[in-house]
Amino acid sequence: MDTKTLSDFIAWSKTTDLQEVVFKKDGVSVEISTAAKNPKASDFSCKLTAVKAPAVGIYGLGKKGKAVTVKENMAVKQGDILGYVEMNKTVKEVSSPVKGTLKIILASEGAAVEYGQPLFFIEP
C-alpha cells in the first residue's frame, strides 16, 4: 500500500463513526483505532437525577388519605411528592429534587428500602 492511499484512507476514517479497522493482506497488517479500548468511568456522563430514600423503612404511595400516583414519563415539578417512607410510626415524604420527566421507577408499594437507596430517576 503506497503512502498516498494510506493517507487517503486515514482522512476517510476520520469522517466515519468507525472505532477500529484492521487490514491484513500479503503479510502487511494495518490497524487504526480512533477510540480508547478501555474507557474510563469519567468518559461517561448521565443526566438523570436520582431520587433517594430519605430513611430506612417501607415505601408506599400514600398515607392516611394522601395517595399519590407515579408513572414513567410523567412530568414532575421540584418538590412533588412521589411517595412516603414509613419507619417506626414516623412517615417521611419522598419528593422530587428537580423539575423534569420521571424516567425510571425502582420503588414498589410495600417494599423495604435503605437510606439513600435510589427509588426513582428523573431526567431534568
Side-chain angles (χ1 to χ4, degrees):
M1 180 180 298
D2 62 34
T3 56
K4 167 96 172 87
T5 304
L6 185 56
S7 183
D8 290 346
F9 177 77
I10 291 170
W12 167 82
S13 70
K14 291 178 182 178
T15 65
T16 71
D17 61 351
L18 290 175
Q19 293 185 1
E20 186 174 30
V21 174
V22 178
F23 173 80
K24 293 179 183 179
K25 184 176 181 185
D26 299 330
V28 175
S29 177
V30 177
E31 295 184 31
I32 298 175
S33 179
T34 60
K37 292 188 183 222
N38 296 317
K40 301 175 206 143
S42 61
D43 294 339
F44 300 95
S45 65
C46 179
K47 295 179 182 174
L48 298 178
T49 299
V51 180
K52 299 177 181 180
V56 173
I58 304 298
Y59 171 80
L61 289 170
K63 67 173 187 177
K64 296 185 182 174
K66 290 191 174 186
V68 294
T69 302
V70 292
K71 57 185 176 183
E72 288 184 354
N73 296 314
M74 73 180 252
V76 294
K77 296 180 290 215
Q78 185 173 2
D80 279 357
I81 304 302
L82 302 174
Y84 302 89
V85 174
E86 182 178 348
M87 73 280 169
N88 297 333
K89 299 181 185 177
T90 303
V91 178
K92 292 202 174 211
E93 294 178 341
V94 177
S95 60
S96 174
V98 295
K99 175 184 175 185
T101 304
L102 188 61
K103 286 298 194 180
I104 301 171
I105 298 174
L106 301 172
S108 58
E109 179 76 26
V113 297
E114 297 288 328
Y115 172 77
Q117 175 183 338
L119 304 176
F120 305 94
F121 285 97
I122 297 172
E123 183 177 56

